[in-house]
Amino acid sequence: MEAVMSGGLKEYGVLFSNSKLYSPALQREDQQGFQEHLRKLHQNKLEAWCPCQTRAKPRIFSRLRGRTYHPVKESNSGPRHSFDCTRYSLPNDFSGRGTYTVGVVEETKHGIQITFREPMTRRPTPAESTGTGLSRVSGSGRTQSRMSPRGLLDYFWTEASLNRWHPNMAGKRSWGVVARELNKAAEPIRLNGVPLSEYLMVLEPDLTGSSLHASTRRFIATAKRLAAADRGDTPRVLIIVEIQAVHRDIDGTSLDIGASWSGVGLRVHVDEHGFEVLKRGSVDFRRLAENAPIHDRGEVRLVALLQIEISGQQGDWIANVQSGAVSAMTAQFIPYASDYERRFTRDLIAEERWFIKPLRYDAAEVVFPDALLLDGKDRPRAMEVYGRNGDPVYRKRKETKTALYADGAAGAQPWVWDVPAGADPWTVKRPPFPQRVIHPKAKQGKEHHVGWHKAIPTNTAQKHETPQADFVRPPLPQVPIGRPAFTPPSAPTLEQDRLGPSYGAYESNLMTRSPPPPLPDSPDERNPIRLVLKPQEPLQPETPLPTSISLPLWRRVLKLFFG
C-alpha cells in the first residue's frame, strides 16, 4: 500500500475516487495510467485523497508542470496528514511561517508563488550604486508582506522535510541526499514570477571539482550565461553552500565554501555591511568570523543561502553576494539557534527520538516551541529550552510562552529545560526526556506501541529492544456439560488400490461418521498427500434420478442438447 522513504518517512501514494490506489511502486510501473488519472483529476473529473489517514483523508490535487502531471497536497492541509507521511507539515502557528500575510506563499494548481524581498535581476540605479549590499536582509515584524533570504532558507528546509528527524535517518543524511531533496522542493516554486529551479544551485562541498560532475557542469554553464548577460539587466542566482572558513584581506571578505569549488575557480565575496548582517544571523558563524572557538567544530555545519551575481571568466569566477542568510546546523542538518538548543538536539538524536524542529522564518516576536516530540504519549509534545535567563528580553518571551502553555493553547504541558543563568550548556545537567511509547526501530517507520503501558527508558547506553508485555492469556471457555460437542466432517480419502465403480460421497449423518483409520506403521506407506475414499455400493439402474424435474421433461432436455 505504501512505500517507505529513507529515514522512516512514508510516501502513501494516491487514492482516487474510482477506488484505484496508486502506490509509489505502481506509479513507476504504470506511468501512463497514473498520468491519465492525474489528467482527469486536473480536469475535475476525479477526486483523490492521501490514504495516510483512516478517516477524513486529506485531499490531493494535480499540478501540471510542462507536460507532466504531479500529485500535490491541498493548500494548508499538511497538519491533517499522518506524522510519518511525507506530506505532513506543522500548522503555521507552530512556526514563524504564520507571520506572513496572505499572498506571500500562494499554492495553486500551477505551482507555488512566493513574494521574495529581493529582486531576481539588477538594474543599475543611483541608489544601488552606493554598495549597500545586504541592507534589505535585516528587519522583520509580526506581519511580513515579503519573504527574506532567511525565510526562504527555512522554507526550503521545511518543504524538504529536513527539519524532521526519525531514528531511521541515522547515517543516511549526506549532502547528496540534502541536495536531492532541496532541488525536488524547488521544482514547483516561482520566485517573483521566475522559475526557481532555473536559478537555484546547491553546491555540495564534497564534490571532486571534476568538470564531469552534473552540479559542476550546471554551475559552469550558468556562470557563463550570467557573465555574458547584458550588464544593464544582470540576473541573479541563489546558491546553497556550506561555509568552511572566512578570509579577510586587503581585497575584502571572502567565504571559503570548500576546496572542491576552489578547484573550479569560484570565489565568494561579500561587502562589509553584508558581512555584519550575516554574522547577526548565526552565533556560530559570528564565532567563525571572529576566530572564536566553536565547541566540537567538526559537528557544526554553517549552511548559507546566498543571492549572487557572477562575474569573471572560467577558472576565475567571482560571486558577489547581494543578499543572504546563514543557519547553524548539527551534523544531521537540524538547525539550531543557541548552544543549549544544539545540546538538547544532539541528545534527542543520540537517544533515538522522533521530533520536528519548527523554524523561525522572518518572525521576530512570535513565540513557538523549540521542538515537537512525536514518539511520546502526547503527540506532538512541545519541548522548551530556556537558556538565556540572564537576558531581560528573553525572560519576557519566556513569560509569554509560560502563560500560553498555562492556558492550554498548546495541548499537553511541555517538557521544559530551565537552564540556570550562565551555566555551561555542555556540562549542565539536563532533565530526562519524556518517556517513549513509539519504538524508534519500528519496521518501515510504522508506529509500534511497546507493551501495554510500558515505555523504553531513555538511556543512551542501553540498547533499545521491545520488552515483552506481562500478559497471560486466559483459558479458553469449556463446553457446557450435557451439550454434545460438534464434530466437523473429515475430508474424504483416496485409496488407490481400492477404487470402485463410484468414488463415494459423504455420509448423510455427519455426527455418526466413523473416525479415519490410523496412518500405516511403515514409513514408506505414509504419504501425507494421499487421500483414501471410502467406497460405497454402486447406484442401481432403477434408482430414480436425484432431481425435481419430471422424467419426460428431463428426457426432452437430453434430446434437445444431445440429439
Side-chain angles (χ1 to χ4, degrees):
M1 176 179 176
E2 70 263 3
V4 180
M5 297 181 62
S6 61
L9 299 183
K10 292 185 288 186
E11 187 178 352
Y12 281 87
V14 182
L15 176 63
F16 291 92
S17 55
N18 60 358
S19 301
K20 181 70 173 180
L21 174 60
Y22 270 92
S23 64
L26 185 58
Q27 293 175 22
R28 293 187 294 268
E29 295 173 2
D30 185 16
Q31 297 182 10
Q32 183 176 358
F34 185 54
Q35 284 294 307
E36 179 64 19
H37 276 71
L38 291 177
R39 183 185 65 81
K40 293 181 179 180
L41 178 62
H42 191 78
Q43 298 173 353
N44 297 324
K45 296 180 179 180
L46 285 176
E47 292 184 339
W49 303 270
C50 178
C52 66
Q53 297 285 9
T54 305
R55 299 179 179 178
K57 293 180 174 60
R59 294 194 64 183
I60 297 295
F61 292 96
S62 177
R63 178 179 294 157
L64 179 62
R65 293 201 300 268
R67 297 183 178 180
T68 307
Y69 294 94
H70 301 268
V72 295
K73 63 184 178 183
E74 185 182 9
S75 179
N76 298 323
S77 67
R80 298 200 295 270
H81 290 263
S82 175
F83 287 122
D84 60 351
C85 181
T86 56
R87 299 184 177 106
Y88 174 80
S89 61
L90 287 174
N92 291 339
D93 294 340
F94 278 74
S95 67
R97 187 170 175 175
T99 61
Y100 293 116
T101 58
V102 177
V104 176
V105 180
E106 186 177 2
E107 298 182 12
T108 66
K109 284 188 175 182
H110 304 287
I112 302 175
Q113 302 285 345
I114 294 181
T115 304
F116 192 46
R117 180 178 298 175
E118 304 295 329
M120 296 304 294
T121 59
R122 178 179 64 85
R123 293 179 175 85
T125 62
E128 284 191 315
S129 61
T130 58
T132 54
L134 285 76
S135 59
R136 289 168 300 206
V137 175
S138 60
S140 58
R142 289 185 178 273
T143 57
Q144 301 293 321
S145 59
R146 292 178 296 175
M147 184 179 288
S148 73
R150 159 63 60 186
L152 187 60
L153 179 60
D154 288 348
Y155 181 86
F156 281 152
W157 238 249
T158 302
E159 291 299 305
S161 297
L162 296 174
N163 65 327
R164 304 166 65 176
W165 181 259
H166 190 279
N168 291 345
M169 297 176 181
K172 299 177 182 178
R173 274 199 182 175
S174 62
W175 257 110
V177 174
V178 170
R180 180 194 66 199
E181 298 300 323
L182 289 175
N183 288 323
K184 186 187 304 181
E187 286 180 0
I189 298 177
R190 297 181 70 88
L191 212 61
N192 294 344
V194 177
L196 182 58
S197 58
E198 299 179 5
Y199 290 87
L200 176 67
M201 292 183 290
V202 182
L203 308 186
E204 308 169 37
D206 55 345
L207 295 179
T208 61
S210 171
S211 60
L212 300 179
H213 197 282
S215 299
T216 308
R217 292 199 309 268
R218 184 185 176 192
F219 168 78
I220 294 176
T222 303
K224 289 181 178 179
R225 175 171 57 88
L226 296 182
D230 183 7
R231 307 315 296 177
D233 192 5
T234 305
R236 297 172 175 176
V237 295
L238 294 170
I239 60 174
I240 296 180
V241 297
E242 181 176 348
I243 299 176
Q244 306 287 346
V246 176
H247 303 289
R248 309 197 68 177
D249 51 30
I250 191 173
D251 296 330
T253 304
S254 62
L255 307 178
D256 183 359
I257 60 174
S260 59
W261 288 101
S262 299
V264 177
L266 175 63
R267 293 179 295 166
V268 180
H269 287 184
V270 59
D271 62 16
E272 286 300 319
H273 180 79
F275 185 59
E276 293 299 323
V277 173
L278 291 178
K279 287 197 299 183
R280 290 198 297 267
S282 170
V283 59
D284 278 340
F285 179 74
R286 183 169 65 250
R287 292 168 179 165
L288 181 69
E290 297 173 356
N291 294 322
I294 300 177
H295 180 80
D296 203 357
R297 175 66 178 92
E299 299 296 319
V300 175
R301 299 183 184 273
L302 298 174
V303 180
L305 172 70
L306 304 175
Q307 187 186 42
I308 62 173
E309 293 180 1
I310 298 180
S311 59
Q313 57 186 355
Q314 186 167 354
D316 190 19
W317 304 113
I318 298 176
N320 296 300
V321 179
Q322 305 300 314
S323 64
V326 180
S327 178
M329 303 182 183
T330 66
Q332 298 80 16
F333 294 92
I334 304 296
Y336 62 87
S338 65
D339 290 339
Y340 302 103
E341 283 191 17
R342 179 187 168 196
R343 156 78 185 281
F344 111 99
T345 302
R346 183 197 65 181
D347 293 349
L348 283 172
I349 295 174
E351 296 189 12
E352 299 183 335
R353 304 307 297 266
W354 182 12
F355 65 94
I356 299 180
K357 170 64 179 173
L359 302 181
R360 181 161 292 279
Y361 292 81
D362 291 315
E365 303 297 331
V366 177
V367 295
F368 50 85
D370 291 326
L372 291 171
L373 196 63
L374 299 180
D375 59 4
K377 181 180 179 181
D378 300 303
R379 306 174 65 198
R381 176 80 176 274
M383 308 187 78
E384 292 290 350
V385 181
Y386 300 126
R388 293 187 298 160
N389 289 310
D391 187 354
V393 178
Y394 186 83
R395 286 201 305 267
K396 183 178 179 180
R397 181 178 298 179
K398 173 183 175 182
E399 295 172 358
T400 303
K401 281 189 175 183
T402 305
L404 290 175
Y405 288 126
D407 293 340
Q413 289 300 307
W415 174 88
V416 176
W417 181 19
D418 203 346
V419 184
D424 184 4
W426 312 109
T427 58
V428 65
K429 186 177 180 179
R430 171 186 57 78
F433 291 134
Q435 288 185 326
R436 179 191 297 110
V437 297
I438 307 295
H439 196 280
K441 295 298 184 181
K443 186 178 181 181
Q444 297 183 348
K446 292 185 178 180
E447 298 179 5
H448 177 69
H449 293 268
V450 179
W452 290 95
H453 300 288
K454 293 184 177 181
I456 300 178
T458 57
N459 185 6
T460 55
Q462 183 176 1
K463 183 179 180 180
H464 299 293
E465 296 181 354
T466 306
Q468 299 294 329
D470 299 331
F471 176 74
V472 179
R473 179 181 61 82
L476 296 175
Q478 302 295 328
V479 178
I481 300 176
R483 179 181 176 184
F486 175 74
T487 304
S490 58
T493 57
L494 175 63
E495 185 173 336
Q496 298 178 358
D497 57 345
R498 294 183 60 187
L499 290 178
S502 65
Y503 286 86
Y506 288 108
E507 299 181 30
S508 58
N509 189 355
L510 298 176
M511 301 297 295
T512 60
R513 185 180 181 90
S514 58
L519 291 173
D521 295 333
S522 174
D524 297 335
E525 298 180 3
R526 296 179 182 178
N527 186 357
I529 64 172
R530 186 179 68 175
L531 302 177
V532 180
L533 275 179
K534 182 179 179 181
Q536 74 172 24
E537 294 297 328
L539 293 175
Q540 300 298 326
E542 63 272 15
T543 304
L545 293 174
T547 177
S548 60
I549 304 178
S550 62
L551 190 57
L553 179 59
W554 177 256
R555 288 178 176 175
R556 283 194 293 242
V557 173
L558 290 177
K559 186 176 181 180
L560 178 64
F561 286 94
F562 301 100

